[in-house]
C-alpha cells in the first residue's frame, strides 16, 4: 500500500512497509532525523511530532494511519521566524523555544531535546504563560536522562517570557491550533 | 561512501553568557598555574558559561547521533539473544535464517576470526556465545539483511538447542564453595581488603556505642536515551571503519581489532554522536558484530538496538548487599568501621575489579575513621553483567555508611548533621588507604552550606497521614583511574591565520563528548590560554593519540590539562616569533589576549595575525596526572587516587504513610568543584546526577526473577519524569586543588552518589523506619511491614 503524507508542508508519496511506524517513515524513508528513536514504546516523548495539529508520539502511530495527514516535525520550527536575528552558530534563525533551550543550558547530550522543544512549543501555544508547575506536569511525558529537568523548565519559562514580550517573534503559526480539546499529558 | 556528518564542532560566534547565579563563590588559593600568562580578558574563557556550540544542531534536530547514520548500499543487522539466564548450547542451526529472502549473512561464534572473548579489564566475555549462555539476553547470533524487518524476521528462524540450567542468581550463594563455577577461575571476580589501625592486627577497639545494619540496593540501569547503534564501513585494503557512540575509542579499537584478528591499523574507530553514556558505553556491544559483517559483506552495516535490547546490551550498576558495623564514642566520634560488601557482578567481569576496589576505598565515606576493616567482593552470577555506572562502586557504600551515620545519630540522640560534622574529613586527614588528603576537603562546609539553605514551607493542605522528612548525606569520590593506572591524554593545538585574516586556533583530541560538554570546556581553555576568540574543536579518531575514557570524572582534568600544555607550548613559540620580529625581548609576563600579544603593562604590543604571518604553529602534548599506586593486597594501603571530589545533598520528602508513596519536595546539592570552568554546565551536571541518584532511591530497578529480566522497557523500568522532580538548588564551592590544572576537580559522578542516601535519609526521618533497601517500595513503608514505630 502506498500512502501520501504532507510533512512540513511538503507532500510525499511513500511506500508503506507493513507495521512500520510514522517514526520509521520520517527517519528512514524521508531522512528526517529530528524525531528520535529512544524507546519506540511511547514512553519518552523523544519522537514527538504534530499529526494534523495534535502532538503525538510518532513511534505509536502506524505510518498507514498518517495517510492523508499533515505532519509537522522539529525541522519545521527553526526557519519560521526569519526576522529574528540568526542564532549563534546556526545557519538559520531559531524558534524562541529553541533559543531559550540553548541560553538556559537545557541541552546536554541533546537526544531528548527535539522532542522537548516540540512539546514546549505545543504547550506554549495552548498556555502562553505557564507556571513551573504547569511545565513539569504538562511535559512529564518527555524523559531526559541528563539534565535533571531544572534547566529545561527554566528554558520553557524563559521562552514564554520572551514570546510574551515580543509576541510577533514566534509568528502567528508558531504552533498549530490544537485540533482537539486540550489534552494534558499523563 | 562516507557516514553522514561525523561531527567536528565549530566555534565561531558562540553566544557568551555570564555565569548564572548558582551560588558561585570566589575561588581561594588557586594553584600557581593559573595566574601566569593567561589571557583572562577574552570572552568565553574559563569561568564563563558560553553556550554549547552543538546547541543549535541539537535543538533543531540536525545533530547526527550514531543512530542517525546512513551510508549508500547500507544493510541492517540484528542480534539474536538468549531467552535463558543459564543454559548449555548444544547446537545453533542457522539454515532457515540463511535461506530467508533478503538475508545476506548470519554469524555465530564459529565465524569469529580472532579472539573469541572481549573485556577491558578481564577478557572473559564471548563476542557471541559458544557452548553456554550465562545471562538472559546474551548475544548468540547476528543476522544481516537488506532491511531491518527482514533481519528481525530471519533471526526468529535461528534454532538454538539449549539445555536449560538452574541459574545462580544470588551473589552470596555464588561464593559458597559448594556452588558451581560459572567461569574457569571460580565465582570470585575480585576481593579488595582494607585493614587500617587496630584492624591491621586482626582486632578492633571497643566503642561506647555500636550500631549494625545490613543494606541492599537493586540493579540500576544507565538508561541513556541514545540507544546502542553504529555504522561499520569496509575500507579498501581489507580494513574497517566503525562509527560508534562510545566513551573511549582506543580501548574499543584494541578489542575490536583483536576479535577481528586484524592488525590494529586496519581498524579505525570514529566518534559518532553520543546520546548519553553514564558508564555503560565503556564495554563493547555491537562493535565486533557490525565490523565483522561489514568485512564479510563488503558493505556498510548499520545496527540499532531496540530499547528492550538496549537493556540487555549494556552493563548495569552492581546490585549490592552490605553489612556494616560502626563504633563511636559517646560524644559521636567514630572509632571504627567494619564493612562487608558483596557486589553482584553478573555474568561477566566488565569493570568489576575496579568497582570492588572503589567500594572498599570509599567504604567509610568522607569521615575520619582511625580503625577500618573492609572486605569488598565482586562476584559472578547468572544475572545481567554489571559494570561501570556513574559513581562507579561508591554509590552502594554511600547508601550504607550514610544510613549508619543516621543510625548512630539516633543511638546517640544527636542531630544527623552534627554527627557528620563531628567526623568530617578535612585537609591533612588520612583515608582508610593511608593516603593523606593534600588538598582542601570541605566536607563540613558543604554540609553547613546545605543546612543553611531555607527549607520549603510546610504544606498546610497536606492530607492526614502525610509526614515530612529532611535527610542529609555527604560523599567523596576518587577522580580518574586509580591504583597505578596512567590514564593520560593527548591533545594538539594549532594556531594560524585563517583565509579571512582572523587568527584561528584548532584544538584536536579524541575525547568523547557524551553530552557533558567537554568539547566546550576544551575551547574555553584554549580561549583562556591563547586569547584567541575563534577556536575550532576537532574530535579525532582512533588513529590520533588517546584521550583516555570519558569516565571517572577525569576528562576535563586530563584532556583539559593536555590542551593547556599544548597551548603553552604554542604561546612560547609565539613569543619567540615576537622576539625574532624585533620587538623588545618579551618577558615571561607577556600574554596573548584578544588576538594580540600584550605586554606586562597590559598594552597590546603586537597583533597576533601580524606576528604569525603565514606561519602555522602546531604542538602536541600529553598530560599525565601524578602517579598513583596499587593497594597492598593484604591491607589495602597505598596512595591510590590522583584526586578526590566532595559533595553533599539535602533532600526533603513527604511520605504518605498509608499508601507508602514518597514525594520529593526539595533537593539541594553542594559540591566542591575546585575551579568552576563552566558554571552553567556544572549546574546541569549536578542537577542531572542528583536526579539519577534520586531515581535509584525511589524508582529505578531492573527487576529480576531467577535471572530473568522482567522489565526491559521504559514502561517497566521507571525513570524520574519532570513531574517527579522538584526544583534542585545548586551550591558550588571552589576550593582549588593545587595539584590540578586550574585547581579544578572532576565533577560528573559526585552528584549521583550522595543523592540516593539523602533521599533515603529523608524517608527515614519522615517515617522513623530504618530504610535499608533502595529503591524504596511502597510496601517497605506501609503499615504491617514497619520495623519501627511512627515518629
Amino acid at each position: 500500500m502506498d500512502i501520501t503524507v504532507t510533512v512540513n508542508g511538503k507532500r510525499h508519496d511513500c511506500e508503506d512497509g507493513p507495521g512500520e511506524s510514522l517514526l520509521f517513515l520520517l527517519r528512514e524513508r524521508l531522512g528526517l532525523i529530528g524525531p528520535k528513536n529512544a524507546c519506540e514504546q511511547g514512553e519518552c516523548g523523544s519522537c514527538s511530532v504534530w499529526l494534523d495539529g495534535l502532538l503525538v508520539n510518532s513511534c505509536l502511530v502506524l505510518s498507514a494511519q498518517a495517510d492523508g495527514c499533515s505532519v509537522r516535525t522539529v525541522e519545521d520550527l527553526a526557519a519560521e521566524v526569519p526576522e529574528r536575528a540568526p542564532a549563534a552558530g546556526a545557519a538559520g534563525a531559531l524558534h524562541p523555544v529553541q533559543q531559550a533551550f540553548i541560553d538556559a543550558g537545557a541541552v546536554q547530550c541533546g537526544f531528548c531535546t527535539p522532542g522537548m522543544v516540540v512539546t514546549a512549543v505545543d504547550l506554549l501555544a495552548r498556555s502562553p504563560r505557564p507556571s513551573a508547575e504547569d511545565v513539569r506536569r504538562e511535559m512529564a511525558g518527555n524523559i531526559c536522562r541528563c539534565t535533571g529537568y531544572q534547566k529545561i523548565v527554566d528554558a520553557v519559562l524563559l521562552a514564554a517570557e520572551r514570546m510574551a514580550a515580543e509576541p510577533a517573534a514566534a509568528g502567528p503559526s508558531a504552533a498549530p491550533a490544537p485540533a482537539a480539546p486540550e489534552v494534558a499529558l499523563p | 561512501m562516507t557516514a553522514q556528518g561525523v561531527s567536528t564542532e565549530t566555534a565561531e560566534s558562540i553566544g557568551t553568557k555570564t555565569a548564572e547565579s548558582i551560588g558561585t563563590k570566589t575561588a581561594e588559593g588557586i594553584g600557581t598555574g593559573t595566574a601566569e600568562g593567561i589571557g583572562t580578558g577574552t570572552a568565553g574563557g574559563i569561568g564563563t558559561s558560553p553556550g554549547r556550540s552543538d546547541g543549535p544542531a541539537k535543538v533543531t534536530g540536525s545533530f547526527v547521533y550514531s543512530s542517525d547514520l546512513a551510508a549508500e548500499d547500507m544493510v541492517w543487522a540484528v542480534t539474536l539473544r538468549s531467552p535463558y539466564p543459564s543454559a548449555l548450547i548444544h547446537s545453533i542451526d542457522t539454515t532457515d535464517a540463511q535461506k530467508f529472502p533478503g538475508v545476506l549473512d548470519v554469524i555465530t561464534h564459529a565465524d569469529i576470526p580472532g579472539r573469541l572473548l572481549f573485556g577491558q579489564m578481564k577478557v572473559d566475555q564471548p563476542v557471541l556465545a559458544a557452548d553456554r549462555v550465562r545471562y538472559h539476553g546474551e548475544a548468540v547470533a547476528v543476522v544481516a539483511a537488506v532491511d531491518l524487518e527482514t533481519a528481525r524476521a530471519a533471526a526468529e528462524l535461528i534454532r538454538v538447542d539449549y539445555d536449560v540450567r538452574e541459574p545462580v542468581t544470588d551473589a552470596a550463594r555464588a561464593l559458597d564453595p559448594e556452588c558451581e563455577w560459572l567461569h574457569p577461575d571460580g565465582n570470585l571476580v575480585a576481593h579488595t581488603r582494607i585493614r587500617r589501625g587496630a584492624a591491621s592486627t586482626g582486632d578492633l577497639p571497643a566503642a561506647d556505642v555500636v550500631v549494625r545494619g545490613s543494606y541492599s540496593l537493586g540493579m540500576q540501569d544507565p538508561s541513556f536515551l541514545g540507544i546502542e547503534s553504529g555504522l561499520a564501513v569496509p575500507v579498501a585494503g581489507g580494513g574497517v571503519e566503525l562509527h560508534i557512540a562510545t566513551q573511549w575509542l582506543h580501548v574499543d579499537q584494541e578489542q575490536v581489532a583483536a576479535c577481528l584478528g586484524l592488525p590494529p591499523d586496519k581498524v579505525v574507530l570514529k566518534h559518532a554522536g553520543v546520546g548519553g553514556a553514564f558508564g555503560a558505553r565503556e564495554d563493547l556491544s555491537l562493535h565486533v558484530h557490525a565490523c565483522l559483517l561489514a568485512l564479510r559483506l563488503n558493505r556498510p552495516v548499520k545496527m540499532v538496538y531496540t530499547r528492550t535490547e538496549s537493556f540487555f546490551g549494556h552493563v548495569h550498576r552492581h546490585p549490592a548487599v552490605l553489612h556494616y558495623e560502626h563504633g563511636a564514642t559517646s560524644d559521636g566520634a567514630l572509632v571504627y568501621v567494619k564493612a562487608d560488601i558483596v557486589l553482584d557482578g553478573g555474568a561477566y567481569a566488565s569493570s568489576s575489579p575496579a568497582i570492588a576496589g572503589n567500594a572498599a576505598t570509599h567504604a567509610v565515606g568522607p569521615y575520619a575513621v582511625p580503625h577500618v576493616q573492609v572486605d569488598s567482593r565482586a562476584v559472578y552470577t547468572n544475572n545481567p553483567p554489571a559494570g561501570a555506572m556513574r559513581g562507579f562502586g561508591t554509590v552502594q557504600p554511600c547508601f550504607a555508611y550514610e544510613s549508619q551515620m543516621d543510625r548512630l545519630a539516633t543511638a546517640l540522640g544527636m542531630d544527623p548533621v552534627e554527627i557528620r560534622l563531628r567526623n568530617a574529613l578535612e585537609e591533612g586527614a588520612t583515608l582508610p588507604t593511608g593516603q593523606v588528603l593534600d588538598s582542601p576537603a570541605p566536607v563540613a562546609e558543604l554540609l553547613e552550606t546545605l543546612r543553611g539553605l531555607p527549607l520549603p514551607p510546610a504544606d498546610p493542605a497536606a492530607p492526614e497521614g502525610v509526614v515530612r522528612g529532611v535527610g542529609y548525606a555527604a560523599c567523596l569520590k576518587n577522580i580518574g583511574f586509580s591504583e597505578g593506572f596512567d590514564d593520560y591524554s593527548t591533545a594538539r593545538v594549532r594556531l594560524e591565520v585563517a583565509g579571512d585574516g582572523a587568527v584561528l586556533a584548532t584544538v584536536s583530541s579524541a575525547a568523547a563528548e557524551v553530552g557533558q560538554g567537554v568539547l566546550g570546556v576544551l575551547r574555553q581553555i584554549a580561549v583562556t590560554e591563547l586569547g584567541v576568540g575563534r577556536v575550532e574543536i576537532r574530535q579525532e579518531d582512533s588513529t590520533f593519540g588517546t584521550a583516555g575514557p570519558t569516565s571517572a570524572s577525569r576528562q576535563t582534568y586530563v584532556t583539559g590539562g593536555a590542551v593547556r600544555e599544548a597551548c603553552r607550548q604554542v604561546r612560547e613559540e609565539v613569543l619567540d616569533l615576537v622576539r625574532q620580529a624585533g620587538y623588545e625581548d618579551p618577558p615571561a609576563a607577556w600574554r596573548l589576549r584578544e588576538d594580540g600579544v600584550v605586554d606586562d603593562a597590559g598594552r597590546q604590543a603586537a597583533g597576533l595575525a601580524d606576528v604569525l604571518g603565514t606561519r602555522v604553529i602546531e604542538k602536541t602534548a600529553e598530560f599525565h596526572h601524578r602517579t598513583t599506586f596499587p593497594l597492598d593486597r593484604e591491607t589495602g594501603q597505598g596512595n591510590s587516587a590522583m584526586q578526590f571530589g566532595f559533595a553533599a545533598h539535602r533532600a526533603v520528602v513527604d511520605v504518605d504513610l498509608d499508601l507508602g508513596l514518597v514525594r520529593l519536595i526539595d533537593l539541594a546539592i553542594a559540591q566542591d568543584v575546585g575551579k568552576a570552568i563552566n558554571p552553567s554546565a556544572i549546574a546541569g551536571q549536578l542537577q542531572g546526577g542528583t536526579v539519577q541518584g534520586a531515581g535509584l532511591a525511589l524508582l529505578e530497578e531492573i527487576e529480576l526473577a531467577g535471572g530473568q529480566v522482567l522489565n526491559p522497557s521504559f514502561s517497566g523500568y521507571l525513570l524520574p519524569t519532570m513531574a517527579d522532580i522538584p526544583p534542585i538548588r545548586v551550591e558550588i564551592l571552589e576550593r582549588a586543588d593545587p595539584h590540578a590544572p586550574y585547581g579544578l576537580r572532576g565533577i560528573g559522578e559526585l552528584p549521583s552518589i550522595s543523592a540516593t542516601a539523602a533521599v533515603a535519609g529523608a524517608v527515614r526521618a519522615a517515617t522513623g523506619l530504618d530504610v535499608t533497601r533502595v529503591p524504596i517500595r511502597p510496601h517497605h513503608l506501609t503499615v504491617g511491614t514497619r520495623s519501627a514505630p511512627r515518629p
Side-chain angles (χ1 to χ4, degrees):
Chain A
M1 175 183 130
D2 289 336
I3 57 173
T4 299
V5 188
T6 301
V7 181
N8 299 334
K10 190 176 166 196
R11 185 188 150 124
H12 297 271
D13 296 310
C14 314
E15 188 188 334
D16 175 39
E20 278 181 10
S21 66
L22 174 59
L23 174 62
F24 189 90
L25 183 145
L26 292 170
R27 288 178 53 80
E28 303 300 336
R29 296 201 185 283
L30 304 182
L32 292 170
I33 61 170
K36 296 299 175 195
N37 58 340
C39 78
E40 298 189 76
Q41 293 165 329
E43 295 289 346
C44 75
S46 300
C47 64
S48 299
V49 301
W50 286 280
L51 181 66
D52 281 347
L54 188 68
L55 199 67
V56 297
N57 289 315
S58 60
C59 68
L60 292 187
V61 177
L62 285 173
S63 57
Q65 289 176 289
D67 186 25
C69 295
S70 176
V71 176
R72 188 158 181 252
T73 73
V74 67
E75 278 91 349
D76 199 43
L77 290 176
E80 75 178 11
V81 201
E83 70 274 18
R84 269 182 74 80
L94 297 180
H95 186 282
V97 169
Q98 293 171 319
Q99 188 63 53
F101 266 65
I102 294 174
D103 294 344
V107 179
Q108 288 187 25
C109 95
F111 208 86
C112 72
T113 304
M116 286 282 183
V117 164
V118 164
T119 306
V121 169
D122 192 78
L123 167 64
L124 295 180
R126 290 182 283 113
S127 172
R129 293 309 297 267
S131 67
E133 277 291 296
D134 296 337
V135 174
R136 288 185 186 272
R137 188 179 62 249
E138 296 268 326
M139 292 184 65
N142 289 66
I143 288 173
C144 171
R145 189 52 158 166
C146 294
T147 63
Y149 299 115
Q150 181 68 57
K151 285 170 178 283
I152 294 176
V153 176
D154 294 345
V156 178
L157 298 179
L158 176 63
E161 194 180 310
R162 288 176 177 172
M163 289 164 72
E166 203 181 342
S173 61
E182 193 169 308
V183 180
L185 293 165
Chain B
M1 188 166 58
T2 54
Q4 290 175 2
V6 176
S7 62
T8 52
E9 282 202 345
T10 51
E12 294 150 69
S13 60
I14 292 171
T16 303
K17 191 161 152 294
T18 52
E20 294 163 84
S21 53
I22 46 177
T24 307
K25 297 181 184 174
T26 312
E28 288 172 8
I30 287 183
T32 52
T34 56
E36 186 191 330
I38 292 177
T40 50
T42 302
I46 64 170
T48 67
S49 298
R52 298 179 68 105
S53 62
D54 59 9
K58 286 178 170 174
V59 299
T60 56
S62 63
F63 185 86
V64 180
Y65 294 90
S66 57
S67 55
D68 299 323
L69 297 169
E72 200 182 318
D73 205 27
M74 175 179 94
V75 305
W76 291 79
V78 304
T79 313
L80 177 73
R81 296 177 181 278
S82 166
Y84 307 112
S86 179
L88 301 181
I89 295 176
H90 289 321
S91 64
I92 305 172
D93 182 355
T94 63
T95 316
D96 290 348
Q98 298 268 17
K99 283 194 239 163
F100 194 75
V103 167
L104 300 167
D105 201 2
V106 183
I107 54 170
T108 69
H109 67 93
D111 300 304
I112 306 298
R115 201 175 67 193
L116 300 178
L117 305 175
F118 70 91
Q120 55 162 314
M121 297 191 73
K122 191 168 178 176
V123 181
D124 68 349
Q125 184 159 2
V127 176
L128 289 168
D131 55 349
R132 68 187 292 182
V133 288
R134 294 183 178 84
Y135 72 97
H136 177 203
E138 180 160 2
V140 176
V142 185
V143 181
V146 291
D147 60 46
L148 185 55
E149 282 308 310
T150 301
R152 282 177 180 162
E156 298 291 316
L157 301 177
I158 298 172
R159 285 194 294 272
V160 185
D161 184 7
Y162 290 108
D163 177 5
V164 179
R165 313 267 296 199
E166 185 66 28
V168 178
T169 57
D170 180 87
R173 195 192 129 209
L175 285 172
D176 188 321
E178 299 296 305
C179 184
E180 74 163 305
W181 284 12
L182 305 182
H183 287 269
D185 296 334
N187 293 339
L188 180 66
V189 182
H191 180 182
T192 300
R193 294 155 51 94
I194 307 268
R195 298 288 184 273
R196 177 137 199 98
S200 56
T201 55
D203 215 354
L204 287 167
D208 299 332
V209 179
V210 174
V211 294
R212 297 181 185 86
S214 294
Y215 305 91
S216 61
L217 299 93
M219 179 179 277
Q220 188 180 23
D221 186 78
S223 288
F224 41 70
L225 285 194
I227 291 167
E228 285 86 352
S229 45
L231 179 69
V233 183
V235 297
V240 65
E241 197 175 88
L242 177 65
H243 302 258
I244 189 81
T246 180
Q247 293 176 238
W248 189 2
L249 285 180
H250 290 72
V251 78
D252 289 2
Q253 188 267 349
E254 288 168 17
Q255 296 180 82
V256 172
C259 295
L260 293 174
L262 286 177
D265 63 340
K266 294 286 189 193
V267 179
V268 176
L269 266 68
K270 293 175 177 282
H271 283 296
V274 182
F278 315 121
R281 295 192 206 268
E282 287 189 19
D283 297 88
L284 298 189
S285 56
L286 52 81
H287 304 51
V288 180
H289 307 156
C291 288
L292 178 55
L293 284 164
L295 288 164
R296 286 163 65 103
L297 296 169
N298 198 31
R299 288 174 74 171
V301 173
K302 178 169 176 173
M303 295 185 76
V304 182
Y305 287 176
T306 62
R307 175 54 61 183
T308 293
E309 203 180 359
S310 178
F311 276 94
F312 297 117
H314 58 237
V315 295
H316 313 94
R317 190 187 302 290
H318 287 68
V321 176
L322 310 96
H323 303 287
Y324 267 71
E325 183 177 312
H326 277 54
T329 64
S330 55
D331 59 355
L334 290 171
V335 176
Y336 72 87
V337 172
K338 183 178 172 187
D340 182 72
I341 300 168
V342 176
L343 301 153
D344 182 349
Y348 298 103
S350 183
S351 304
S352 283
I355 286 168
N358 259 18
T361 55
H362 295 72
V364 307
Y367 305 111
V369 188
H371 309 284
V372 178
Q373 176 184 326
V374 179
D375 286 271
S376 169
R377 286 171 291 182
V379 185
Y380 285 127
T381 66
N382 288 119
N383 289 323
M389 186 173 167
R390 199 174 192 174
F392 200 81
T394 71
V395 171
Q396 297 92 335
C398 182
F399 170 53
Y401 63 68
E402 287 298 66
S403 298
Q404 286 285 96
M405 295 302 274
D406 284 349
R407 268 185 211 250
L408 263 184
T410 303
L412 291 164
M414 283 181 83
D415 178 84
V417 177
E418 285 304 324
I419 195 160
R420 288 171 168 86
L421 294 175
R422 174 81 179 76
N423 294 286
L425 287 176
E426 50 193 32
E427 186 167 3
T430 304
L431 297 170
T433 56
Q435 183 162 358
V436 174
L437 287 172
D438 57 0
S439 72
V443 179
E445 191 178 357
L446 292 168
L447 286 162
E448 296 275 26
T449 299
L450 290 172
R451 188 160 65 169
L453 293 176
L455 282 163
D459 180 4
E464 192 183 342
V466 173
V467 290
R468 177 159 294 185
V470 182
Y472 290 85
C475 66
L476 81 165
K477 170 74 179 60
N478 57 341
I479 306 303
F481 284 11
S482 295
E483 300 186 37
F485 194 86
D486 175 21
D487 61 338
Y488 68 96
S489 179
T490 317
R492 178 182 299 155
V493 174
R494 179 183 165 102
L495 192 67
E496 66 197 309
V497 178
D500 60 2
V503 179
L504 168 69
T506 307
V507 176
S508 301
S509 81
E513 166 68 66
V514 300
Q516 84 284 33
V518 67
L519 300 185
V521 162
L522 301 183
R523 171 179 307 105
Q524 289 180 264
I525 290 171
V527 166
T528 292
E529 294 292 336
L530 298 175
V532 173
R534 188 166 161 194
V535 179
E536 184 175 312
I537 302 293
R538 296 184 59 84
Q539 265 192 298
E540 301 290 344
D541 63 26
S542 61
T543 61
F544 192 84
T546 184
T550 296
S551 304
S553 307
R554 62 179 280 292
Q555 203 59 275
T556 293
Y557 189 126
V558 181
T559 300
V563 170
R564 183 179 72 160
E565 177 55 29
C567 285
R568 289 181 174 192
Q569 292 179 20
V570 167
R571 187 189 61 186
E572 286 310 308
E573 194 158 321
V574 169
L575 293 181
D576 277 347
L577 289 175
V578 172
R579 289 187 192 94
Q580 290 164 22
Y583 290 91
E584 68 176 282
D585 197 24
W590 281 30
R591 288 163 293 165
L592 306 187
R593 196 169 79 192
E594 300 287 4
D595 292 344
V597 181
V598 177
D599 67 18
D600 41 9
R603 294 181 299 260
Q604 177 151 325
L608 198 49
D610 298 333
V611 174
L612 284 169
T614 57
R615 288 185 187 80
V616 175
I617 301 177
E618 187 173 277
K619 300 290 178 188
T620 303
E622 283 180 3
F623 181 90
H624 295 258
H625 57 76
R626 56 183 178 153
T627 309
T628 65
F629 299 92
L631 299 172
D632 180 275
R633 288 175 62 86
E634 294 304 313
T635 63
Q637 300 300 293
N639 284 340
S640 64
M642 74 185 201
Q643 185 188 58
F644 287 91
F646 302 90
H649 279 89
R650 187 186 74 187
V652 182
V653 302
D654 277 356
V655 182
D656 185 319
L657 294 170
D658 297 314
L659 298 175
L661 296 178
V662 179
R663 179 161 182 78
L664 294 169
I665 301 300
D666 189 75
L667 288 169
I669 174 170
Q671 185 167 327
D672 173 22
V673 305
K675 166 68 183 172
I677 304 292
N678 183 319
S680 175
I682 286 173
Q685 283 288 299
L686 270 48
Q687 289 161 342
T690 296
V691 170
Q692 287 188 341
L696 174 60
L698 297 176
L699 290 173
E700 296 184 37
E701 182 175 10
I702 291 187
E703 293 170 34
L704 297 165
Q708 293 277 341
V709 179
L710 302 181
N711 58 338
S713 75
F714 279 176
S715 38
Y717 183 89
L718 300 181
L719 293 163
T721 72
M722 229 183 256
D724 299 314
I725 298 299
I728 302 169
R729 304 166 203 246
V730 171
E731 291 289 322
I732 293 176
L733 301 188
E734 295 180 286
R735 303 289 175 264
D737 176 353
H739 310 288
Y742 307 113
L744 68 82
R745 290 181 199 274
I747 62 147
E749 297 175 282
L750 284 130
S752 67
I753 301 168
S754 44
T756 307
V759 172
V763 174
R764 190 175 289 128
T767 62
L769 298 173
D770 288 338
V771 186
T772 57
R773 186 188 192 277
V774 290
I776 302 163
R777 298 299 184 196
H779 67 265
H780 298 154
L781 304 177
T782 46
V783 179
T785 59
R786 58 181 59 249
S787 58
R790 289 188 187 193

